[in-house]
Amino acid sequence: MGSIDRYIFRTTLASFALVLVSLTGVIWITQALRGIDLMTSQGQTIITFLGITGLVIPALVLIIAPIALMIAISHTLNKLATDSEIIVMNAAGFSPFRLFRPFFYATCVVALIVAFIGSYLAPDGMRRIKQWDAEITADVLTNILQPGRFAQLDPNLTIRIRERQPGGVLAGIFVDDRRDPKERITIIADHGTVLKNESGSYLVLEDGNLERFEAGKRDPALVAFGRYAFDMSKFSNRGRDITFGIRERYLWELISPSEDDPVFKQLSGQFRAELHDRILAPVYPFAFAVLTFAFLGTPRTTRQSRNFSIGGSILAVFGLRMAGFACSVMAVKTPVMALVQYSMLFAAIAIGLWMIVGGVVVEPPAALMEAINRSNARLARLFGRPATA
């Protein structure tokens, strides 16, 4: 790789990293705000919140990476054109196809990243989210005990907490235990915490009163305590089977799913569509890179506007991606649409390469320019300004 190639390669990847981090960060924040309930109502820590919401980042990168590459290539080509470097390279004997080589190297790096994320990292993150969520939602102490509500954990056991405070402290705890037919226990505590160890889960109550009504006795027994452990092992961490959906499957599990898999039996069409999406995910960076370079990579003078080419590249990439989404959805019920998606992607790459090799310059049609000039002239006359030639 020559010095020019290294310069373009580094510039493209640096722009790609900046755009990828920026777009992913913005979208991740919008997704993370949906999980703020973990901290407010379920009493989870900031580490748990960041951990669960952060596991969705690979899935976001899988979609954003090709778009970030397109923006990076556009930025690099615009920088080269603004500094007249493309004109100089062309005068030095660089053909458009030769100039495309460092962009191709950068695209290979992005495609490898996308392939790794799509086959392993993204589904692994989604699996961890489901497992982590199952642990949280299966825990009665963090899920059912909601502030201000009477939670009936058992037909004869009711618990209420007034609020959750920082650090997992439960304030204003009320317990009404009638599971033993020979006695009824009512507990009121100022605050408490949840304690989990090898022996089970306990609601540790502090600064409260315990009132015990025994059968056959007229007066209750009242006990004031400083610390009291209420056993919650029966209700906490109830077992729950986790069934991984299609997005949580690794690529090799989509290629050869088990015949006894109930999800595969029920959603075989979605398995097929997801498999083709994973296979084509590394191809989209190549399609986006080729189309972007085909519109913007040919040498132009500073007098030639690049706005039309930039708009054309955006429309081409956006249209290709939207068509890919449509084919993926229709492939669930119509298997032939997967073949259409393959054909469409490779046709876009072939057309883009043909434009690059042929040095095709994308310019607005003459009729369109005449229509724009006439419109400008009418606007100039409307506002009383002389029309420029």
Side-chain angles (χ1 to χ4, degrees):
M1 187 184 297
S3 59
I4 296 178
D5 290 345
R6 287 197 299 270
Y7 165 68
I8 297 176
F9 178 78
R10 289 196 304 267
T11 303
T12 303
L13 283 187
S15 301
F16 165 76
L18 179 62
V19 174
L20 181 64
V21 171
S22 301
L23 290 179
T24 304
V26 171
I27 298 177
W28 174 77
I29 290 175
T30 62
Q31 297 292 321
L33 290 176
R34 301 179 181 179
I36 200 69
D37 180 66
L38 286 172
M39 295 180 59
T40 57
S41 65
Q42 296 188 8
Q44 300 299 317
T45 64
I46 184 65
I47 301 300
T48 302
F49 170 73
L50 293 177
I52 292 181
T53 56
L55 289 172
V56 79
I57 290 179
L60 297 177
V61 172
L62 189 63
I63 299 176
I64 297 172
I67 300 174
L69 177 64
M70 184 268 291
I71 297 174
I73 293 177
S74 300
H75 167 74
T76 304
L77 288 173
N78 187 63
K79 181 178 181 296
L80 295 175
T82 302
D83 297 338
S84 300
E85 291 174 318
I86 293 182
I87 298 293
V88 174
M89 293 178 191
N90 183 67
F94 270 62
S95 64
F97 188 75
R98 171 64 182 83
L99 180 60
F100 178 67
R101 191 165 69 181
F103 293 103
F104 175 75
Y105 295 152
T107 304
C108 289
V109 173
V110 175
L112 288 175
I113 294 174
V114 170
F116 172 69
I117 292 175
S119 60
Y120 173 76
L121 195 59
D124 185 69
M126 301 304 293
R127 282 174 176 241
R128 293 176 184 274
I129 290 176
K130 178 163 284 190
Q131 291 171 345
W132 208 336
D133 182 66
E135 293 177 3
I136 293 176
T137 56
D139 193 341
V140 172
L141 298 180
T142 57
N143 185 53
I144 294 182
L145 297 184
Q146 299 297 326
R149 299 181 182 178
F150 288 90
Q152 193 167 3
L153 308 185
D154 190 85
N156 294 313
L157 177 62
T158 303
I159 299 179
R160 179 187 184 275
I161 61 174
R162 186 177 69 248
E163 63 177 337
R164 292 183 182 272
Q165 296 178 350
V169 177
L170 308 177
I173 303 173
F174 169 81
V175 179
D176 181 30
D177 187 0
R178 293 171 292 166
R179 290 174 294 174
D180 189 346
K182 296 182 180 180
E183 63 179 12
R184 177 178 179 176
I185 299 175
T186 302
I187 304 174
I188 299 177
D190 180 75
H191 61 279
T193 56
V194 176
L195 174 64
K196 297 181 182 180
N197 52 34
E198 296 82 1
S199 59
S201 298
Y202 299 90
L203 185 59
V204 180
L205 308 173
E206 298 184 18
D207 299 332
N209 297 295
L210 184 150
E211 191 176 57
R212 187 191 306 273
F213 291 88
E214 295 183 8
K217 293 186 178 181
R218 180 177 178 182
D219 298 324
L222 184 63
V223 179
F225 60 84
R227 188 178 179 89
Y228 179 82
F230 188 79
D231 191 358
M232 298 285 291
S233 302
K234 178 182 177 181
F235 308 99
S236 182
N237 296 325
R238 292 171 174 170
R240 172 176 158 184
D241 296 332
I242 301 176
T243 301
F244 293 119
I246 298 174
R247 295 181 63 192
E248 290 89 23
R249 306 299 177 98
Y250 298 117
L251 179 62
W252 51 89
E253 294 177 336
L254 295 175
I255 294 175
S256 56
S258 174
E259 296 295 336
D260 299 330
D261 190 340
V263 179
F264 175 70
K265 291 180 180 180
Q266 184 179 3
L267 304 171
S268 59
Q270 294 186 18
F271 260 79
R272 179 178 57 251
E274 182 69 18
L275 172 61
H276 292 304
D277 276 348
R278 301 276 187 89
I279 294 175
L280 288 175
V283 181
Y284 274 101
F286 289 101
F288 287 9
V290 169
L291 288 176
T292 303
F293 190 91
F295 277 88
L296 301 174
T298 52
R300 305 166 189 263
T301 66
T302 54
R303 293 179 178 272
Q304 292 176 295
S305 175
R306 301 172 63 86
N307 295 334
F308 182 82
S309 297
I310 293 175
S313 65
I314 293 174
L315 288 177
V317 169
F318 179 78
L320 183 64
R321 180 69 267 192
M322 290 299 101
F325 281 132
C327 290
S328 178
V329 173
M330 290 186 287
V332 175
K333 296 184 178 180
T334 310
V336 72
M337 294 307 298
L339 180 61
V340 173
Q341 190 175 6
Y342 281 90
S343 303
M344 177 183 62
L345 265 180
F346 287 104
I349 294 175
I351 293 173
L353 290 175
W354 171 78
M355 294 173 64
I356 294 173
V357 173
V360 178
V361 179
V362 179
E363 293 182 336
L368 177 60
M369 293 303 301
E370 291 178 2
I372 293 176
N373 290 334
R374 289 195 299 269
S375 177
N376 290 338
R378 285 196 295 268
L379 290 175
R381 290 195 299 270
L382 178 63
F383 290 99
R385 297 177 182 177
T388 57

